Amino acid sequence: MAEEKEKGWIIDQLFNPILDFLDESPFLGIFVIAFVCVLIVAFFPPSLVFVLLFIGYGFYLKSKRAKTNKEP
């Protein structure tokens, strides 16, 4: 049961390496993510909704990870 909880969602497996990279070098990571988002939105404007969801879920997962790291 604990193994399933650690495995998490598939999307978490995508976000966790991104968040690890942002923890190591925040300026470069944010620059790369912003550049990719600008390119996507520039060539396909309706994708702005998905970009905002992507960023919002990233903040949610980061706060979730901070709570788990804070607890002993």
Side-chain angles (χ1 to χ4, degrees):
M1 190 89 155
E3 187 176 303
E4 289 179 15
K5 190 174 185 178
E6 284 186 23
K7 188 175 181 183
W9 295 85
I10 294 174
I11 195 162
D12 290 351
Q13 293 174 1
L14 169 73
F15 272 94
N16 283 327
I18 294 171
L19 291 175
D20 291 339
F21 181 71
L22 283 173
D23 287 340
E24 292 173 12
S25 57
F27 181 73
L28 180 63
I30 290 174
F31 180 73
V32 168
I33 290 172
F35 181 72
V36 169
C37 289
V38 166
L39 284 178
I40 291 171
V41 172
F43 289 107
F44 188 63
S47 67
L48 179 61
V49 173
F50 296 111
V51 170
L52 292 175
L53 287 173
F54 177 81
I55 292 171
Y57 189 75
F59 280 118
Y60 165 74
L61 190 59
K62 185 161 179 70
S63 68
K64 184 175 148 183
R65 284 177 58 173
K67 287 179 186 175
T68 358
N69 291 339
K70 195 185 286 186
E71 294 175 3

